[in-house]
Amino acid sequence: MAFLGTLCLILVLTTLAGNLANRLGVPAVIGELLVGIIVGPALLNWVQLNSLVSLFADIGVVILMFLGGLESNLQLLMKYLRPAIVVATSGVIFPVTLMGLTSWWWGFTPLESLFIGVIFSATSVSISVAVLKEYHALTTREGATILGAAVADDIIGVVLLSLMISLLASQGIETAGSQPALALVLVEQVAFFGGTYILVKWVAPYLMHLSERLVMASSVTIMSMVICLGMAWIANLVGLSGAIGAFFAGIAVAHTPYRAVLADHVEPLGNAIFIPVFFVSVGLNMTLNHLADNLGIIAILTVLACVTKLIGCGLGARLSGFTMGSSTVIGTGMIARGEMGLITAQIGHQAGLLGGSDYSAMILVIILATVIAPLLLKQALKHMPEGQLEQAV
């Protein structure tokens, strides 16, 4: 029951912070992220990231990405698949190379430097999705490219993480837990995307039609949640982010006649409880331990975390034929880091590759980049020429 008090505090503060952020012309998610930093271990220490907060946060990101899938256009995603792959690839090469070299120059060993580069290679677009939804840019060509690149980025991140684990093992460094072979992981992920096609084409329409025939209140909404949570669980099983599974579940359900009804039912559920907890949980990861000792590397890596994705993904977009303004939107939309970076950093910490102070510094950089990302994305969207974002229909 104590958690109910914590949940009540989070909901009150995120509502007030979101309202203030909107009045100041700042994305509401910024206010919610700052609530986590203020009430968490970094400052007031009123709320800790315990198992219940983490559980609600995990459900929040799943619902957020499900809503993103509901509002997405599958044909548009397929149309911009090639530029999405180019954007994801260039957006991985730049941070791995530049952040790795910078870490080596700062005094980290070559293996530690490579690991730091891999930590910041993966994007988490959950927060970018919230900003794109807020500015009605999710179904534009820029939004489709960002979402497609996020899927490709997640796969590349899993491959890099598997390679790093293999490299650590070859150096005699143990990592926590057993890790499946890379080939098996890739086969499982190919099977996942094959199963996703079957879900979109046949399974989801059948299940949604069946649910409508059930004599049960909210049966259509319940069935959509079953598909959403089930896909998130399966995606996690094959080494992908659960958010990716939820996103494709949203796309699958969107291609049924129940899209508008579900948006009206699921969005209030997510925004009322789970999604605010997700944004707060990002801030709860921040601590100020050893801040003074690592201020230099934190500042440098935070700048590079933003710049390498902005330039890397932006360059990939330019090479794919996007305008400079559109490339900037895509680059800023790929800046936020998330669960893959946190998982990679945790593996490095457990393996003894990143000491306590270095691990705290990497977590802080991930959070700072995630807080900065929506601000930059908002500015990039504001500077787009009038009407240009609507050209993707």
Side-chain angles (χ1 to χ4, degrees), residues 5-263:
T6 299
L7 183 59
C8 183
L9 176 66
I10 289 172
L11 295 179
V12 169
L13 293 179
T14 52
T15 301
L16 295 174
N19 172 68
L20 179 61
N22 282 326
R23 288 181 179 274
L24 295 174
V26 176
V29 297
I30 289 294
E32 296 173 342
L33 288 167
L34 291 177
V35 166
I37 294 171
I38 293 168
V39 304
L43 292 176
L44 299 177
N45 200 29
W46 290 351
V47 179
Q48 289 77 41
L49 191 62
N50 57 33
S51 58
L52 281 172
V53 174
S54 296
L55 175 61
F56 272 58
D58 288 343
I59 296 173
V61 72
V62 165
I63 293 177
L64 177 61
M65 292 304 290
F66 177 73
L67 291 169
L70 268 182
E71 295 188 18
S72 296
N73 185 317
L74 184 59
Q75 284 72 35
L76 199 59
L77 283 171
M78 295 304 297
K79 180 179 179 182
Y80 290 98
L81 180 61
R82 181 184 170 278
I85 293 173
V86 175
V87 166
T89 304
S90 61
V92 166
I93 292 171
F94 271 69
V96 169
T97 304
L98 294 180
M99 298 187 76
L101 287 173
T102 301
S103 302
W104 178 64
W105 172 79
W106 192 265
F108 288 91
T109 68
L111 186 59
E112 290 169 345
S113 302
L114 179 60
F115 205 87
I116 290 170
V118 172
I119 288 173
F120 293 98
S121 65
T123 294
S124 177
V125 294
S126 306
I127 290 171
S128 295
V129 164
V131 177
L132 290 169
K133 277 169 58 64
E134 189 174 336
Y135 289 89
H136 309 290
L138 203 58
T139 56
T140 63
R141 58 181 184 164
E142 292 83 5
T145 303
I146 290 170
L147 290 168
V151 176
D153 190 283
D154 208 54
I155 296 170
I156 295 171
V158 170
V159 172
L160 288 177
L161 179 57
S162 300
L163 291 174
M164 282 306 304
I165 290 169
S166 300
L167 183 59
L168 290 175
S170 70
Q171 299 289 319
I173 301 173
E174 294 292 329
T175 56
S178 59
Q179 301 294 333
L182 176 59
L184 177 60
V185 170
L186 293 177
V187 169
E188 289 175 344
Q189 291 178 7
V190 169
F192 170 80
F193 287 110
T196 298
Y197 175 79
I198 295 172
L199 177 77
V200 172
K201 195 76 173 175
W202 294 291
V203 178
Y206 173 76
L207 290 177
M208 296 306 296
H209 176 70
L210 179 64
S211 67
E212 191 180 35
R213 300 170 64 89
L214 298 176
V215 185
M216 172 68 184
S218 303
S219 58
V220 171
T221 305
I222 292 171
M223 183 60 75
S224 73
M225 284 291 92
V226 169
I227 296 171
C228 168
L229 299 176
M231 284 289 286
W233 174 65
I234 294 170
N236 186 69
L237 281 182
V238 301
L240 292 169
S241 166
I244 296 297
F247 172 70
F248 280 110
I251 288 179
V253 174
H255 284 73
T256 70
Y258 312 98
R259 177 179 187 166
V261 174
L262 291 173

Side-chain angles (χ1 to χ4, degrees), residues 182-372:
L182 176 59
L184 177 60
V185 170
L186 293 177
V187 169
E188 289 175 344
Q189 291 178 7
V190 169
F192 170 80
F193 287 110
T196 298
Y197 175 79
I198 295 172
L199 177 77
V200 172
K201 195 76 173 175
W202 294 291
V203 178
Y206 173 76
L207 290 177
M208 296 306 296
H209 176 70
L210 179 64
S211 67
E212 191 180 35
R213 300 170 64 89
L214 298 176
V215 185
M216 172 68 184
S218 303
S219 58
V220 171
T221 305
I222 292 171
M223 183 60 75
S224 73
M225 284 291 92
V226 169
I227 296 171
C228 168
L229 299 176
M231 284 289 286
W233 174 65
I234 294 170
N236 186 69
L237 281 182
V238 301
L240 292 169
S241 166
I244 296 297
F247 172 70
F248 280 110
I251 288 179
V253 174
H255 284 73
T256 70
Y258 312 98
R259 177 179 187 166
V261 174
L262 291 173
D264 290 340
H265 288 188
V266 177
E267 191 159 1
L269 171 68
N271 289 330
I273 300 180
F274 298 105
I275 294 175
V277 178
F278 161 63
F279 290 127
V280 167
S281 73
V282 176
L284 293 179
N285 277 292
M286 180 183 284
T287 64
L288 302 181
N289 299 336
H290 310 288
L291 177 62
D293 298 336
N294 294 290
L295 201 55
I297 190 64
I298 288 171
I300 291 172
L301 289 183
T302 299
V303 171
L304 283 176
C306 298
V307 170
T308 52
K309 281 291 184 181
L310 175 60
I311 295 177
C313 296
L315 178 62
R318 284 291 283 164
L319 292 174
S320 300
F322 284 89
T323 65
M324 182 61 75
S326 294
S327 300
T328 304
V329 169
I330 292 167
T332 53
M334 297 290 289
I335 287 174
R337 306 311 203 275
E339 56 278 357
M340 187 59 71
L342 294 172
I343 290 167
T344 308
Q346 177 70 9
I347 288 173
H349 179 54
Q350 290 173 338
L353 201 60
L354 295 176
S357 61
D358 293 333
Y359 172 68
S360 297
M362 295 308 120
I363 298 301
L364 187 56
V365 173
I366 289 171
I367 293 168
L368 288 173
T370 303
V371 171
I372 293 168

Side-chain angles (χ1 to χ4, degrees), residues 310 325-326 328-330 332-333 374-385 389:
L310 175 60
S326 294
T328 304
V329 169
I330 292 167
T332 53
L375 291 171
L376 297 178
L377 178 56
K378 182 206 168 183
Q379 291 302 313
L381 288 168
K382 281 179 63 177
H383 286 87
M384 286 291 289
L389 282 172

